[in-house]
Amino acid sequence: MLRKITAQIKKDFLIETSYKFAFLFNIFSVLASILTYFFIDKLFGHKVTEHLEEFGVSYFSYVLLSMAFFSYIGVGLGSFSSRIRGEQLQGTLESLLLTPTKISILLAGMALWNLIIATFDILIYLVLGIFIFKINFSNINILSTTIILILTMASFSCLGIISASFILIFKRGNPVGWIINTIEGLLGGVYFPVTVMPGFLQTAARFFPITYAIRAIELAVYRGYSLPELKSELIFLCLFCLVLTPLSGYTFKYALKKARRQGSLLQY
Amino acid sequence: MLKVKNISKQFIPALPLSARLINLHRKNSPVTALKDISFSLEKGSILGILGPNGAGKTTLLKIISTIILADKGTVRVDNYSPGRDDEKIKSITGLMSNEERSFYWRLTGRQNLEFFAAMHGLDKRNAESRLKEYFTKFKITYQDKRFDSYSSGMKRIFSLIKTILHDPRLVLLDEPTKSLDYNTSLKLRNFIRELSAAGKAVLLATHNIQEAEELCDSFLIIYQGKTRAIGALDELRKGMNNSSATLTDIYLKLTQNA
């Protein structure tokens, strides 16, 4: 199992490094997005101060962390469907499916490289945040942050697998991915605290796991909240995991079987 | 080794989105890809599957290799069944597809094969020794160049090596010599003979009647998804009541006048 996962990571590494400038462009794109919010903070940051009191940070500090975290969530969410779509388009999905490899290992292998890249992105965010923008991460509660990361990745990976199931059957058009990337980005508190929005949108935000994840990570990193202090957020994230894990497994198996019956597994 | 009994498969072509939006219940009528196909294949023998484009040859190979599920009928590969023992079947079966897009083009040929060897569960040392053996056998010197720089012939040879890398007992070949020059084609044909001599069961789907006649012990001629004839050349001749008929004569008669 380990050899198969390692082989997939090595293959992705070799493909990625064959694009000479991708790595450099990645750093620049992270820097560009950080700078955008840095200047937005300069312009409007003081207007949301009251909404950020709970977290005890400036708008820029808040958004830097939530964006770094959201890129991580994006991996859990998007990597399965985008990788399956990529393999379909390249024509290599058939070769992969012809190897005696469990689907769960194929999926894990596909997602791991993206996870490594996202971890690297987070490091870029943090290094730039600490050394250039002088953001203070000294209050971080490592245990809470780790648990939140694990629970968030688990629940969003499940959503990602459900999303990949749509790709297997419909090839294009991925409502789960769209909802989460677009609606959750808007409502979940990634670019501004949820309290900025009107009441009915705040109510809607409660139905998305990202709202709990972003709030929990901000409080764990900037205020050093312990696990008991984040109890309600963690309970919600655990609930999402409990419901989504079997649901995603069932959905993917169903989609795979349907695609094999339709003979459309390799179509794109 | 391989037993196929009454395999049938229909596909429902997808409707354009606009047609589906106008009538949510509308479905295209199904197209029969295979109907009641039965045959068996013993180790050490080569069965040629002949038929015009769209006859169902590729669908049949994909059903045997577990990529597509049949609607009806049974497939047994060493007593393993698709849908139930997929991983076992994949570990003893190799499918050489007729497409060149089954490799990572930004990797070298060697990197591709090392990756697929690992995915087949081969350890590093075993994989290296097999690759060395095949590179020597096919006189390959370009294994460390990027795959997208290979010619069609080079890609087909790599495709064949990928198919047999894990030493499968059943080898499924879908038009292995398609668009190859004479020399490369000859190299591949000789190797297919060697596979059979080594005790592997080989299923060869091809349009090339001459190639089939040269390589195969028996033939399955399919047309529009149905079996038109099955057996060794002598048996096919008997079925046609023509003891001097060539495979081309038989093929043309069965697929033109059907």
Side-chain angles (χ1 to χ4, degrees), chain A residues 5 9-10 12 22-23 40 64 69 71 78 88 111 119 123 172-173 175 195 209 213 215 218 237 254 258:
Chain A
I5 290 179
I9 293 173
K10 185 183 169 191
D12 289 333
F23 174 75
I40 288 176
L64 181 118
F69 188 56
S71 73
Q88 274 177 336
T119 306
L123 287 176
R172 282 190 193 182
T195 50
R215 189 180 143 75
E218 295 279 354
L237 286 174
Y254 172 80
K258 191 172 169 75

Short mmCIF file of all heavy atoms in Angstrom, two decimals, chain A residues 5 9-10 12 22-23 40 64 69 71 78 88 111 119 123 172-173 175 195 209 213 215 218 237 254 258:
data_model
loop_
_atom_site.label_atom_id
_atom_site.label_comp_id
_atom_site.label_asym_id
_atom_site.label_seq_id
_atom_site.Cartn_x
_atom_site.Cartn_y
_atom_site.Cartn_z
N ILE A 5 1.28 4.34 -2.81
CA ILE A 5 1.04 5.76 -2.52
C ILE A 5 2.31 6.56 -2.82
O ILE A 5 2.26 7.63 -3.43
CB ILE A 5 0.55 5.95 -1.07
CG1 ILE A 5 -0.86 5.37 -0.94
CG2 ILE A 5 0.58 7.40 -0.66
CD1 ILE A 5 -1.47 5.45 0.42
N ILE A 9 2.98 9.71 -5.46
CA ILE A 9 3.54 11.00 -5.07
C ILE A 9 4.78 11.31 -5.92
O ILE A 9 4.96 12.42 -6.41
CB ILE A 9 3.88 11.02 -3.56
CG1 ILE A 9 2.59 10.94 -2.75
CG2 ILE A 9 4.65 12.29 -3.18
CD1 ILE A 9 2.79 10.79 -1.27
N LYS A 10 5.62 10.28 -6.11
CA LYS A 10 6.84 10.47 -6.90
C LYS A 10 6.48 10.86 -8.34
O LYS A 10 7.06 11.79 -8.91
CB LYS A 10 7.66 9.17 -6.91
CG LYS A 10 8.99 9.31 -7.61
CD LYS A 10 9.73 7.99 -7.64
CE LYS A 10 10.93 8.11 -8.58
NZ LYS A 10 11.54 6.81 -8.85
N ASP A 12 3.75 12.34 -9.38
CA ASP A 12 3.23 13.72 -9.40
C ASP A 12 4.35 14.73 -9.24
O ASP A 12 4.33 15.80 -9.86
CB ASP A 12 2.17 13.90 -8.31
CG ASP A 12 0.90 13.16 -8.64
OD1 ASP A 12 0.62 12.97 -9.83
OD2 ASP A 12 0.18 12.75 -7.71
N ALA A 22 6.36 26.63 -12.65
CA ALA A 22 5.13 26.51 -11.86
C ALA A 22 5.37 26.86 -10.39
O ALA A 22 4.58 27.56 -9.76
CB ALA A 22 4.58 25.09 -11.98
N PHE A 23 6.49 26.38 -9.87
CA PHE A 23 6.81 26.59 -8.46
C PHE A 23 6.95 28.08 -8.15
O PHE A 23 6.40 28.60 -7.19
CB PHE A 23 8.11 25.83 -8.16
CG PHE A 23 8.65 26.05 -6.79
CD1 PHE A 23 8.05 25.45 -5.70
CD2 PHE A 23 9.76 26.85 -6.59
CE1 PHE A 23 8.56 25.66 -4.42
CE2 PHE A 23 10.27 27.07 -5.32
CZ PHE A 23 9.67 26.47 -4.24
N ILE A 40 -6.38 46.11 0.99
CA ILE A 40 -7.80 46.25 1.36
C ILE A 40 -7.90 46.57 2.85
O ILE A 40 -8.69 47.41 3.28
CB ILE A 40 -8.58 44.95 1.01
CG1 ILE A 40 -8.75 44.83 -0.51
CG2 ILE A 40 -9.96 44.94 1.69
CD1 ILE A 40 -9.40 43.54 -0.97
N LEU A 64 -5.57 36.55 6.19
CA LEU A 64 -4.39 35.77 5.81
C LEU A 64 -4.51 34.33 6.30
O LEU A 64 -4.28 33.37 5.55
CB LEU A 64 -3.12 36.40 6.40
CG LEU A 64 -1.84 35.65 6.01
CD1 LEU A 64 -0.92 36.56 5.20
CD2 LEU A 64 -1.08 35.14 7.21
N PHE A 69 -5.93 28.71 5.24
CA PHE A 69 -6.71 27.54 5.67
C PHE A 69 -7.66 27.09 4.55
O PHE A 69 -7.84 25.90 4.31
CB PHE A 69 -7.50 27.96 6.92
CG PHE A 69 -8.20 26.83 7.61
CD1 PHE A 69 -7.50 25.70 8.02
CD2 PHE A 69 -9.55 26.89 7.86
CE1 PHE A 69 -8.16 24.66 8.67
CE2 PHE A 69 -10.21 25.86 8.50
CZ PHE A 69 -9.51 24.74 8.91
N SER A 71 -7.21 27.37 1.41
CA SER A 71 -6.48 26.68 0.33
C SER A 71 -6.28 25.22 0.71
O SER A 71 -6.28 24.33 -0.14
CB SER A 71 -5.14 27.37 0.04
OG SER A 71 -4.23 27.11 1.07
N GLY A 78 -11.23 19.71 -3.64
CA GLY A 78 -11.11 19.71 -5.09
C GLY A 78 -10.17 18.68 -5.67
O GLY A 78 -10.26 18.35 -6.84
N GLN A 88 -8.71 11.41 -16.56
CA GLN A 88 -9.64 11.11 -17.66
C GLN A 88 -9.18 11.82 -18.94
O GLN A 88 -9.13 11.22 -20.01
CB GLN A 88 -11.05 11.60 -17.33
CG GLN A 88 -11.89 10.61 -16.54
CD GLN A 88 -13.25 11.19 -16.17
OE1 GLN A 88 -13.43 12.41 -16.11
NE2 GLN A 88 -14.21 10.32 -15.92
N ALA A 111 -4.71 12.48 -3.91
CA ALA A 111 -4.92 13.67 -3.08
C ALA A 111 -3.65 14.09 -2.34
O ALA A 111 -3.48 15.27 -2.04
CB ALA A 111 -6.04 13.42 -2.08
N THR A 119 0.26 22.32 1.76
CA THR A 119 1.03 22.54 2.98
C THR A 119 2.14 23.53 2.69
O THR A 119 2.44 24.42 3.49
CB THR A 119 1.63 21.20 3.48
OG1 THR A 119 0.57 20.27 3.61
CG2 THR A 119 2.33 21.36 4.80
N LEU A 123 2.79 27.25 4.23
CA LEU A 123 4.08 27.71 4.75
C LEU A 123 4.45 29.06 4.13
O LEU A 123 4.97 29.94 4.82
CB LEU A 123 5.18 26.68 4.46
CG LEU A 123 5.12 25.43 5.33
CD1 LEU A 123 6.18 24.42 4.91
CD2 LEU A 123 5.29 25.77 6.80
N ARG A 172 -18.44 16.61 -16.60
CA ARG A 172 -18.33 18.04 -16.31
C ARG A 172 -19.52 18.43 -15.47
O ARG A 172 -20.51 17.72 -15.40
CB ARG A 172 -18.36 18.86 -17.59
CG ARG A 172 -17.08 18.85 -18.32
CD ARG A 172 -17.16 19.88 -19.41
NE ARG A 172 -16.06 19.71 -20.34
CZ ARG A 172 -15.88 20.51 -21.37
NH1 ARG A 172 -16.71 21.50 -21.60
NH2 ARG A 172 -14.87 20.32 -22.18
N GLY A 173 -19.44 19.59 -14.85
CA GLY A 173 -20.57 20.05 -14.05
C GLY A 173 -20.49 19.35 -12.71
O GLY A 173 -20.69 18.15 -12.61
N PRO A 175 -21.81 20.10 -9.09
CA PRO A 175 -22.55 21.00 -8.21
C PRO A 175 -21.97 21.09 -6.80
O PRO A 175 -21.94 22.17 -6.21
CB PRO A 175 -23.96 20.40 -8.17
CG PRO A 175 -23.85 19.03 -8.71
CD PRO A 175 -22.65 19.01 -9.59
N THR A 195 -20.12 37.79 10.97
CA THR A 195 -20.98 38.80 11.61
C THR A 195 -21.16 40.07 10.77
O THR A 195 -22.03 40.88 11.06
CB THR A 195 -20.40 39.19 12.99
OG1 THR A 195 -19.02 39.52 12.81
CG2 THR A 195 -20.55 38.06 14.00
N PRO A 209 -20.00 23.51 6.98
CA PRO A 209 -18.92 23.17 7.92
C PRO A 209 -17.79 24.19 7.95
O PRO A 209 -17.14 24.38 8.98
CB PRO A 209 -18.41 21.81 7.42
CG PRO A 209 -18.97 21.61 6.06
CD PRO A 209 -20.19 22.46 5.98
N ALA A 213 -15.24 25.67 10.90
CA ALA A 213 -13.80 25.43 10.77
C ALA A 213 -13.01 26.73 10.80
O ALA A 213 -12.00 26.84 11.51
CB ALA A 213 -13.54 24.69 9.45
N ARG A 215 -13.92 29.70 12.03
CA ARG A 215 -14.02 30.33 13.34
C ARG A 215 -13.10 29.63 14.34
O ARG A 215 -12.37 30.27 15.10
CB ARG A 215 -15.48 30.24 13.81
CG ARG A 215 -15.79 31.02 15.05
CD ARG A 215 -17.26 30.87 15.44
NE ARG A 215 -17.37 30.82 16.90
CZ ARG A 215 -17.23 31.86 17.68
NH1 ARG A 215 -17.03 33.04 17.16
NH2 ARG A 215 -17.30 31.73 18.99
N GLU A 218 -9.33 30.36 13.61
CA GLU A 218 -8.95 31.73 13.98
C GLU A 218 -8.77 31.83 15.49
O GLU A 218 -7.81 32.43 15.98
CB GLU A 218 -10.04 32.73 13.52
CG GLU A 218 -10.22 32.84 12.01
CD GLU A 218 -9.20 33.75 11.32
OE1 GLU A 218 -8.41 34.40 12.03
OE2 GLU A 218 -9.19 33.77 10.06
N LEU A 237 -18.00 19.81 13.57
CA LEU A 237 -17.08 19.22 12.59
C LEU A 237 -17.09 17.69 12.70
O LEU A 237 -17.06 16.99 11.69
CB LEU A 237 -15.66 19.77 12.79
CG LEU A 237 -15.45 21.22 12.33
CD1 LEU A 237 -14.05 21.71 12.71
CD2 LEU A 237 -15.63 21.34 10.82
N TYR A 254 -21.13 3.81 -5.77
CA TYR A 254 -22.29 3.82 -6.66
C TYR A 254 -21.91 4.43 -8.02
O TYR A 254 -22.23 3.89 -9.07
CB TYR A 254 -23.43 4.61 -6.01
CG TYR A 254 -24.60 4.84 -6.94
CD1 TYR A 254 -25.54 3.82 -7.15
CD2 TYR A 254 -24.76 6.04 -7.63
CE1 TYR A 254 -26.59 4.00 -8.03
CE2 TYR A 254 -25.81 6.23 -8.50
CZ TYR A 254 -26.73 5.22 -8.70
OH TYR A 254 -27.76 5.40 -9.58
N LYS A 258 -21.87 2.64 -11.63
CA LYS A 258 -22.73 3.17 -12.70
C LYS A 258 -21.90 3.49 -13.95
O LYS A 258 -22.30 3.16 -15.06
CB LYS A 258 -23.45 4.43 -12.20
CG LYS A 258 -24.55 4.90 -13.13
CD LYS A 258 -25.35 6.03 -12.49
CE LYS A 258 -26.26 6.70 -13.49
NZ LYS A 258 -27.44 5.95 -13.85
#
